[in-house]
Amino acid sequence: MKRSDVSLIALRRILRATELYGRDLARAAGLTPVQIRVLQIVAETGQSTPKAISARMGVSQPTMTTLIDRLVAKGLVERRRSEADRRQMNIFVTEAGREAIARAPDPLHDRYVAAFEALPDWEQAMLVAALERVAGLLDAGHLDVAPVLDLGDIRKAPPAN
Amino acid sequence: MKRSDVSLIALRRILRATELYGRDLARAAGLTPVQIRVLQIVAETGQSTPKAISARMGVSQPTMTTLIDRLVAKGLVERRRSEADRRQMNIFVTEAGREAIARAPDPLHDRYVAAFEALPDWEQAMLVAALERVAGLLDAGHLDVAPVLDLGDIRKAPPAN
DNA sequence: CATAAATGCTTCGTAAAGCGAAAAAATGAC
DNA sequence: GTCATTTTTTCGCTTTACGAAGCATTTATG
């Protein structure tokens, strides 16, 4: 078997493990995986806009509206019209939202970090190098599909987010 | 920043790239990402059962029934009652199903494999070892996948930088 | 043999997630 | 002032997902 195939199988195991585990965790927290992700993205900077979040998650704006609707209904985020540009909505995490995030830890975080930090130093270094390499390979492939950040954009304006 | 955090960020880049790219590809092929996955699982061995597929995908049986319904409606798979145990349904890929798979390449496969195989030999070995290691860390809590780690290979890999 | 229990799948009802088309509201350019 | 653009929402639809209940079949138990 080719080594590229072996690496693909390992990659799929990673994808599968995170997906299944994420579903379990979300269920335990009373949220869906998607809701947790939206919440985390907003919480990173404390506020965001529907447009920015949808771009970040690779989802359409109408979809983001409904996702935010649900989080608002649960009292985890709130909408406030932007003062600067009144077309925009600013999304803020509420106190309840912060608590929800704290209760619903990152799907990857707990299990993985504990195991990772138990590894010997040289192995940690190897894993970091390898993961960044693979992420680079995959990101590069994705750029072909959506070459958003080309020179034109760089010339025009500093990237948001 | 801790190395576990750096590795988590890389992992998230990997997850994000595969998710976004998978959605694009599925759309281009006229199938949804989930439908492609079901089809691929069935095609691996040419046949399977709803129970087995649902277990493999981490999804309930009712969900699998509706997924198979859609694939049957599209003529990509067919149901046949098992002779050995008439409670079971066997799912077979049709010729049209095989063609659909051929037209809708694996979200990861094409670009990644090309990039991977262009890497020098030692780096391929390092990536395989690292990915299997990470997959092992993540699946550790999950029952089904055999966490067979070839420690020999890992120790042979040169420590990154 | 008979019947109770377990297994495998489907149906039903409900909810979440996703999209495109188009409406609404504000901005910016002319 | 008017028109094009941007940002978000509304509407209608499909897909994905689950639990509960139901049906047919097989296996276990008396």
Side-chain angles (χ1 to χ4, degrees), chain B residues 97-152:
Chain B
R98 267 180 247 284
E99 285 166 18
I101 291 177
R103 272 200 321 276
D106 189 304
L108 279 172
H109 202 274
D110 287 356
R111 270 166 229 270
Y112 173 77
V113 168
F116 182 92
E117 291 183 342
L119 298 176
D121 193 72
W122 67 268
E123 194 164 7
Q124 291 185 10
M126 180 188 92
L127 293 190
V128 168
L131 289 175
E132 291 193 328
R133 192 72 164 118
V134 171
L137 296 184
L138 291 171
D139 305 311
H142 278 292
L143 40 147
D144 44 359
V145 187
V148 182
L149 264 186
D150 188 349
L151 290 179

Side-chain angles (χ1 to χ4, degrees), chain A residues 3-4 6-7 12-13 16 23 56 59 106 111-112 117 119 121 123 130 132-133 139 144-145, chain B residues 3-4 7 12-13 16 23-24 56 58 106 111-112 117 119 121 123 132-133 139 141 144:
Chain A
R3 266 201 302 224
S4 57
V6 178
S7 72
R12 293 212 189 83
R13 280 173 65 202
R16 175 181 148 79
R23 233 179 272 187
R56 178 107 179 249
V59 136
D106 190 304
R111 176 190 313 246
Y112 173 77
E117 291 183 343
L119 298 176
D121 193 72
E123 194 164 5
E132 290 191 328
R133 193 74 164 110
D139 278 351
D144 288 341
V145 176
Chain B
R3 267 202 299 224
S4 57
S7 72
R12 292 211 190 83
R13 280 174 63 201
R16 175 180 149 80
R23 234 180 278 193
D24 291 347
R56 177 108 179 251
D106 189 304
R111 270 166 229 270
Y112 173 77
E117 291 183 342
L119 298 176
D121 193 72
E123 194 164 7
E132 291 193 328
R133 192 72 164 118
D139 305 311
D144 44 359

Side-chain angles (χ1 to χ4, degrees), chain B:
Chain B
M1 178 149 52
K2 283 192 294 190
R3 267 202 299 224
S4 57
D5 289 335
V6 177
S7 72
L8 268 178
I9 290 170
L11 258 178
R12 292 211 190 83
R13 280 174 63 201
I14 292 172
L15 297 177
R16 175 180 149 80
T18 56
E19 185 193 339
L20 295 181
Y21 186 39
R23 234 180 278 193
D24 291 347
L25 265 189
R27 187 159 301 249
L31 294 170
T32 67
V34 181
Q35 287 170 355
I36 290 181
R37 262 162 67 214
V38 174
L39 205 49
Q40 283 173 337
I41 288 173
V42 178
E44 263 174 31
T45 58
Q47 86 181 63
S48 189
T49 69
K51 173 111 180 177
I53 310 171
S54 67
R56 177 108 179 251
M57 287 182 53
V59 134
S60 72
Q61 270 184 5
T63 299
M64 191 48 59
T65 292
T66 69
L67 295 183
I68 293 171
D69 282 347
R70 290 191 214 295
L71 291 178
V72 169
K74 287 173 192 268
L76 304 180
V77 303
E78 54 183 30
R79 289 180 163 106
R80 254 180 267 157
R81 190 127 241 146
S82 162
E83 291 303 319
D85 182 341
R86 294 176 43 72
R87 290 172 304 183
Q88 291 187 28
M89 238 21 188
N90 284 87
I91 311 298
F92 293 85
V93 192
T94 65
E95 196 44 50
R98 267 180 247 284
E99 285 166 18
I101 291 177
R103 272 200 321 276
D106 189 304
L108 279 172
H109 202 274
D110 287 356
R111 270 166 229 270
Y112 173 77
V113 168
F116 182 92
E117 291 183 342
L119 298 176
D121 193 72
W122 67 268
E123 194 164 7
Q124 291 185 10
M126 180 188 92
L127 293 190
V128 168
L131 289 175
E132 291 193 328
R133 192 72 164 118
V134 171
L137 296 184
L138 291 171
D139 305 311
H142 278 292
L143 40 147
D144 44 359
V145 187
V148 182
L149 264 186
D150 188 349
L151 290 179
D153 278 352
I154 288 177
R155 296 220 167 90
K156 254 182 273 171
N161 54 25

Side-chain angles (χ1 to χ4, degrees), chain A residues 98-127:
Chain A
R98 266 179 249 284
E99 285 165 18
I101 291 176
R103 271 200 323 274
D106 190 304
L108 280 171
H109 202 272
D110 287 355
R111 176 190 313 246
Y112 173 77
V113 167
F116 182 92
E117 291 183 343
L119 298 176
D121 193 72
W122 66 266
E123 194 164 5
Q124 291 186 10
M126 181 189 89
L127 292 191

Side-chain angles (χ1 to χ4, degrees), chain A residues 23 27 49-51 61-62 65 69 79 87-89:
Chain A
R23 233 179 272 187
R27 187 161 303 246
T49 69
K51 173 113 181 178
Q61 279 179 359
T65 293
D69 283 347
R79 289 181 163 105
R87 290 170 306 182
Q88 292 188 29
M89 264 331 209

